[in-house]
Amino acid sequence: MSTFRPSRRGVLTGAAVAGAAGVGAGLTAVAARPGQATAASRTVAFHGARQAGITTPQQDSLVFAALDVTTSRAGELADVLQRWSAAAATMATGTPVGGPGGLGGAAEEPPQDTGEAHELPAANLTVTLGYGPSLFDSRFGLADRRPAALEELPPLPGEQLDPTKVGGDLCLQACADDPQVAFHAVRNLVRIGRGVVRVRWMQLGFGRTSTTSSAQSTPRNLMGFRDGTANLKAEDTSDLDRHVWVGGQGAPAVDQEWMRGGTYLVARRIRMLIEAWDRASLGEQERVIGRAKESGAPLSGTHEFDALDLAKTTAHGKPAIDVAAHVRLAAPQSNGGVKLLRRGYSYTDGLDGATGQLDAGLFFIVFGNDPAHQFVPLQRKLGSQDALTEYLKHTGSGIFACPPGTASGGAWGEGLFG
């Protein structure tokens, strides 16, 4: 089935025509087709009170990069953050870096834009920036600006971290409904930062494994189960204030004003031992997860969104939801009411050369305003008690402070370096 995809070139040309004709309707009217999304509906504004890509309805593709800063000059880093902001804002509109002429220029110089996303729609591109704990060492004079909550994650049960997939001074999370658009965004930002930053590790993700809006359906992960049924949503504003946003109502006190309105991102590369999982019976899989595989309903209920009844027992007097089931141990009612905003993706990196088994799983991203009292104790419990742990291996990790959004014309780094 053919699907209309408004091209960047077509949209821009159309907008110019509309403007010349004095219609004044702009991009939306020019690009609209009956029954089709408009160019405007496929864009997410870069500027705003919050960074895009956190509560934004989750897109289908991810490119995540952790970077090290190679300069010791704060001014050079601040300059890159400013240039990144301008480029990210431009790309979010479906326009090449450098503007409509970004693929052109002098024949003896590289174009400002690498070009692989030219004639592709913006695809709801968002780019989210985070600062790692190591950025606040002695290099840039930022030590006294590090939020207390931005601490390196402690060792956690069951993890087997690959040292080449841990940490980073900065992170960039690019999400889009087209993988090439997401890749293009990170590639161009890394290119802009060359000589000041370098990629430490990177992860590509396909297929969202959670929902961040009540308008979205619950996707399935590589284990075949619906994932993220109980996730926080953009519409849960009170819970987001309390559990996600720094300085939100009911949230912990703010110790660094530049982080007010921001949040903390924890990333975990979780390899699924798929071959072992695929050999498990349906009954065992459902016991481990605590939900029915086909419907997603908790084993204490009938429908996907039925509330967990952790006290319910079977006719044999056993808990309907096993005491080691993932949903029981991860539920807010089992963890002092703690809630988190998940934004994970499935990934596959081919085969493990040592075992010949699939290297695939979940790139888990979660946002919260107090990782030491949210993610860390929850993962300690899951790592030591969760029946699902038998089928998982945590191989990558990082924590980053995501500052609030920027006003129109503003740039990343203004609050931190200002």
Side-chain angles (χ1 to χ4, degrees), residues 17-267:
V17 170
V23 175
L27 290 175
T28 301
V30 171
R33 299 289 188 277
Q36 300 284 0
T38 66
S41 73
R42 295 173 63 85
T43 63
V44 180
F46 173 80
H47 296 289
R50 317 285 191 193
Q51 285 201 72
I54 299 173
T55 58
T56 303
Q58 191 169 346
Q59 305 94 321
D60 289 333
S61 299
L62 163 80
V63 176
F64 182 92
L67 305 103
D68 289 331
V69 180
T70 57
T71 183
S72 59
R73 297 177 178 176
E76 291 182 350
L77 174 57
D79 178 64
V80 164
L81 295 177
Q82 187 171 39
R83 294 167 63 199
W84 276 2
S85 302
T90 299
M91 290 187 286
T93 67
T95 305
V97 174
L103 273 69
E108 63 273 16
E109 296 179 359
Q112 294 186 64
D113 189 285
T114 53
E116 70 270 33
H118 191 50
E119 298 174 333
L120 295 177
N124 289 317
L125 172 69
T126 58
V127 184
T128 311
L129 171 77
Y131 304 131
S134 55
L135 189 71
F136 297 85
D137 58 18
S138 60
R139 289 173 293 171
F140 310 109
L142 298 174
D144 62 354
R145 308 211 74 188
R146 182 180 67 81
L150 186 62
E151 294 182 343
E152 297 286 1
L153 297 174
L156 293 167
E159 61 185 10
Q160 300 177 48
L161 300 181
D162 178 345
T164 66
K165 299 183 185 302
V166 174
D169 291 332
L170 304 169
C171 79
L172 291 168
Q173 174 199 264
C175 301
D177 288 323
D178 185 322
Q180 190 151 317
V181 171
F183 177 81
H184 167 262
V186 172
R187 178 186 178 187
N188 277 272
L189 296 183
V190 170
R191 186 172 182 244
I192 289 169
R194 193 163 295 157
V196 177
V197 301
R198 66 182 171 209
V199 175
R200 182 170 185 160
W201 57 285
M202 181 180 284
Q203 185 66 56
L204 275 62
F206 68 93
R208 61 182 174 88
T209 60
S210 54
T211 59
T212 54
S213 167
S214 58
Q216 295 181 302
S217 60
T218 310
R220 292 183 185 271
N221 59 28
L222 295 187
M223 289 181 161
F225 278 75
R226 296 184 189 275
D227 203 344
T229 296
N231 196 29
L232 284 178
K233 308 290 194 303
E235 294 82 3
D236 302 326
T237 54
S238 296
D239 277 343
L240 291 173
D241 271 346
R242 181 180 175 188
H243 299 284
V244 176
W245 302 124
V246 173
Q249 188 171 4
V254 179
D255 65 335
Q256 294 288 349
E257 279 299 319
W258 66 267
M259 269 297 290
R260 185 180 293 277
T263 185
Y264 297 93
L265 179 159
V266 174

Side-chain angles (χ1 to χ4, degrees), residues 269-351:
R269 185 179 185 274
I270 305 174
R271 179 176 169 184
M272 295 176 174
L273 306 181
I274 287 177
E275 288 80 0
W277 180 256
D278 289 347
R279 290 193 295 271
S281 66
L282 174 61
E284 171 65 3
Q285 291 184 5
E286 293 185 335
R287 181 193 72 80
V288 167
I289 300 296
R291 291 185 179 274
K293 189 163 190 176
E294 183 170 353
S295 68
L299 298 185
S300 60
T302 306
H303 304 289
E304 180 189 353
F305 293 101
D306 287 350
L308 298 181
D309 183 354
L310 299 180
K312 186 173 181 177
T313 57
T314 68
H316 302 289
K318 295 182 178 180
I321 298 176
D322 191 85
V323 295
H326 180 73
V327 295
R328 173 187 287 274
L329 296 171
Q333 55 265 48
S334 301
N335 296 283
V338 168
K339 298 180 180 179
L340 292 165
L341 176 65
R342 300 176 51 176
R343 199 179 172 86
Y345 287 84
S346 296
Y347 80 85
T348 179
D349 287 337
L351 296 177

